[in-house]
Amino acid sequence: MKIAAIICRTLLGLIFLVFGLNLYLHFLKMPPPQGQAGAFMGALFTSGYIYVVAAFQVVGGALLLIGRFVPIGLTLLGPVIVNILCFHAFLEPSGLPLAIVVAILFLVVFAYHRQSFAGVWKA
């Protein structure tokens, strides 16, 4: 389980670091979404809110890659992953398979570090 968690942590960290930095540096060319997904992304960009989300992605991804403070990185990335899943489930279904892979990677790393979150589950 330890090796699987390290592999998943590294992949998850790389994904979020690269795609988070891409929102600032624009080194990956991605076609703009159409329809409601395009309107949603347009609102995120015009309001500047996307840069806050990108900051969470970069910091969370970097923490996972470094391997220190992994529970904090998971805490930062958890809501982002939920929003990515919802975006692809409701607005842009073509990206749903990758979103599910990211969620599975997250769950593997979360399961390995579950003792860090034990206090959250106590009444």
Side-chain angles (χ1 to χ4, degrees), residues 67-105:
R68 301 211 13 108
F69 306 110
V70 172
I72 295 172
L74 291 173
T75 302
L76 292 174
L77 293 177
V80 175
I81 293 171
V82 169
N83 280 294
I84 290 170
L85 282 169
C86 290
F87 175 81
H88 287 294
F90 297 117
L91 298 174
E92 189 70 36
S94 65
L96 192 57
L98 182 59
I100 291 171
V101 169
V102 168
I104 291 169
L105 292 173

Side-chain angles (χ1 to χ4, degrees), residues 7 18 23 27-28 32-33 36 39-40 56 60 67-68 93-94 98 113:
I7 292 169
V18 167
L23 290 170
F27 52 86
L28 296 174
Q36 288 180 328
F40 179 76
F56 281 109
R68 301 211 13 108
S94 65
L98 182 59
H113 291 277

